[in-house]
Amino acid sequence: MLAGAALAGVAGALTGCSGGGAAPAAAEGAGLRRRAARASAELLAWYDETARAHPGLESVLAPFREAAAAHVAALRDPGGDAAPAGPVPGVPREPGEALGALAQAEQRLADDRFQELVTAPPDTARILASLAAAGSAQAYLLSEASA
C-alpha cells in the first residue's frame, strides 16, 4: 500500500520536463541504472544460490528468477556488465526461511528503488518505478509461498 502511494506521489515528477541540465541528468541516470543493475544481479545470484541449496524450490523460484534476469537486462548498459557488487548472503537451511529471505531482499530492493525516484531523471525514474512495483509484488508472492 505504501509503495503504491509513493508511486502515485511521484507520478507527476515522472512526466515533467528536465531543465537545461541534460548532461548531468544523463550521467546521474546512467549511474543509477548501473547501481540498480548490480543490485538486480545480486538478487539474481541469490535466486541461483537458493535453487542450488534447495533443488525442490527450483520450480517455485523459476518465474521469480526470470523476472530478476529481465530486470538486469533492462538496466544493463548496452555491452555493459552487471556483475553483483558483493557476495550472495548465506541461504537459510529451511526452504520456507529461504523463501522468506528472498521476499525480504525483494522488498528491500523495491524500497530502495522507490527512494531513488525522488532524484532520478524522468527516464530512469520510470524504469525504477516499474521495477520497484514488480519487486514489491514479487516480495508479496514469495512471502505467501514461504508461509
Side-chain angles (χ1 to χ4, degrees), residues 6 10 17 21 25 31 35 37 49 60-62 77 83-84 89 92 94 99 102 109-110 124-125 132 138 146-147:
V10 297
C17 296
R35 287 190 300 278
E49 286 297 316
V60 172
L61 294 175
D77 291 331
E94 295 297 319
L99 291 173
L102 283 168
L109 184 54
T124 303
Q138 291 209 155
S146 71

Side-chain angles (χ1 to χ4, degrees), residues 67-94:
H71 295 175
V72 172
L75 291 163
R76 183 179 30 223
D77 291 331
D81 185 22
V88 174
V91 175
R93 291 181 188 224
E94 295 297 319

Side-chain angles (χ1 to χ4, degrees), residues 9-20 25 117-118 120-126:
V10 297
L14 298 181
T15 59
C17 296
S18 59
L117 292 176
V118 177
D123 287 346
T124 303
R126 283 192 273 290

Side-chain angles (χ1 to χ4, degrees), residues 101-114:
L102 283 168
Q104 290 174 357
E106 283 277 9
Q107 191 59 58
R108 273 192 308 274
L109 184 54
D111 292 344
D112 290 347
R113 289 182 173 156
F114 276 121

